[in-house]
Amino acid sequence: MPASRYKRILLKLSGEVLMGNQQFGIDPEFVAELAREVKLAKETGLEICLVIGGGNIFRGMAGAARGMDRAQADYMGMLATVMNALAMQNALEQLGVDTRVQSAIQMDAVCEPVIRRRAERHLEKGRVVIFAAGVGSPYFTTDSGAALRAAEMKCDALFKGTSVDGVYDSDPKVNSQAKRFDSVTYDRVLADNLKVMDASAVALCRDNEIPIVVFSIREKGNLARVLAGEGVQTIVRKEA
Ligand code: UDP
């Protein structure tokens, strides 16, 4: 794998990519596959912060739509992200990659709390740091958590690995004529409400000039290609 152009990145994975071909939950084989990709990326010398969503287990909005209290449902969603973080930690450590999980909701028996300076030390020592439980507050998503951690950990870019291979001008699953952007500005994403990450996450990246690289994590080897500036991706930045 060629050396990356970046020194430190934040990799955000949607919870749904941990399902593999299942409809729900965690597929350990698929998590192991993702962990192999992260390991390869790390071996190029990159410092890696990880944020994993929880949508494969529980989303607060879905609970609220079915009559639950939104905040209560969101806390359940945040707990789901901790389970995913522990699954990924397990897979990475089975490959010999030292990993620490830091949760925005304190859970001393299973992981560390989020402490920026401690996270810095972990990265310096070559550990992967997985930030769990989003920002620790309801009414947010793990996209906002990812943008926040990318900013405070001074990451060079936020890589969003999802099941779509970039940002389109309309939903490619609905419109076969949808056009994918190679690059697009933060302002266009916000003005046209393009499906990248939620608006608060995009705004935080814009204000801190953190490029967002959207790519498909479902294709084997794609993280490596995208890190090397190759492969199919969309970069969201100040100027397209
Ligand atoms: N969540 C929250 N605050 C946060 C992060 C997450 O309330 O800071 C909850 C919210 O209910 C969300 C769920 O956790 O739906 C799972 O996260 P997300 O939907 O971002 O997961 P993804 O879509 O990336 O799998």
Side-chain angles (χ1 to χ4, degrees), residues 11-33:
L11 175 62
K12 156 81 209 287
L13 302 176
S14 325
E16 62 181 29
V17 301
L18 271 60
M19 299 191 296
N21 297 319
Q22 301 173 176
Q23 297 299 311
F24 174 83
I26 297 169
D27 177 345
E29 265 176 48
F30 208 79
V31 179
E33 194 65 51

Side-chain angles (χ1 to χ4, degrees), residues 12-16 53-56 58-61 73-74 77-78 81 133-143:
K12 156 81 209 287
L13 302 176
S14 325
E16 62 181 29
N56 54 321
F58 197 83
R59 277 205 180 92
M61 290 278 262
D74 277 341
M78 284 184 262
T81 72
V135 305
S137 298
Y139 295 91
F140 284 94
T141 66
T142 49
D143 282 345

Side-chain angles (χ1 to χ4, degrees), residues 8 29 33-34 45 50 61 63-64 72 83-84 88 107-108 119-120 131 134 140 150 164 168 173 177 189 195 209 223:
R8 177 179 295 180
E29 265 176 48
E33 194 65 51
L34 291 170
L50 258 178
M61 290 278 262
Q72 183 82 344
M83 289 174 62
N84 284 339
M88 180 57 82
M107 240 179 274
D108 295 345
E120 276 289 346
F131 291 102
F140 284 94
V164 188
Y168 285 77
K173 286 180 193 145
Q177 306 296 311
V189 166
K195 299 280 169 273
E209 291 193 33
L223 175 61

Side-chain angles (χ1 to χ4, degrees), residues 50-71:
L50 258 178
V51 167
I52 306 174
N56 54 321
I57 300 172
F58 197 83
R59 277 205 180 92
M61 290 278 262
R66 301 187 63 189
M68 288 185 72
D69 175 75
R70 169 75 192 267

Side-chain angles (χ1 to χ4, degrees), residues 46-226:
L46 262 187
E47 293 178 346
I48 301 182
C49 303
L50 258 178
V51 167
I52 306 174
N56 54 321
I57 300 172
F58 197 83
R59 277 205 180 92
M61 290 278 262
R66 301 187 63 189
M68 288 185 72
D69 175 75
R70 169 75 192 267
Q72 183 82 344
D74 277 341
Y75 278 110
M76 290 170 64
M78 284 184 262
L79 296 181
T81 72
V82 180
M83 289 174 62
N84 284 339
L86 295 181
M88 180 57 82
Q89 178 178 39
N90 176 74
L92 284 168
E93 296 204 328
Q94 282 180 345
L95 296 175
V97 179
D98 273 353
T99 305
R100 294 291 184 271
V101 175
Q102 293 200 344
S103 171
I105 295 177
Q106 212 155 326
M107 240 179 274
D108 295 345
V110 289
C111 57
E112 298 176 2
V114 176
I115 299 174
R116 185 178 61 83
R117 285 171 181 278
R118 194 188 272 188
E120 276 289 346
R121 284 291 292 143
H122 291 321
L123 292 171
E124 278 166 21
K125 288 183 177 173
R127 296 172 183 145
V128 169
V129 180
I130 308 178
F131 291 102
V135 305
S137 298
Y139 295 91
F140 284 94
T141 66
T142 49
D143 282 345
S144 296
L148 174 64
R149 303 302 168 214
E152 71 172 331
M153 297 309 297
K154 300 189 173 54
C155 293
D156 301 316
L158 192 165
F159 282 75
K160 169 141 175 157
T162 172
S163 25
V164 188
D165 62 0
V167 182
Y168 285 77
D169 58 1
S170 60
D171 187 348
K173 286 180 193 145
V174 178
N175 177 10
S176 59
Q177 306 296 311
K179 191 179 140 294
R180 190 183 56 76
F181 298 101
D182 284 332
S183 74
V184 60
T185 63
Y186 303 108
D187 288 337
R188 169 107 192 250
V189 166
L190 291 171
D192 294 358
N193 198 17
L194 300 176
K195 299 280 169 273
V196 179
M197 301 202 299
D198 52 63
S200 53
V202 175
L204 197 53
C205 287
R206 179 191 60 189
D207 296 349
N208 292 285
E209 291 193 33
I210 301 166
I212 307 167
V213 183
V214 184
F215 70 102
S216 167
I217 191 80
R218 287 195 178 266
E219 286 160 58
K220 222 172 170 177
N222 214 24
L223 175 61
R225 282 193 289 278
V226 168

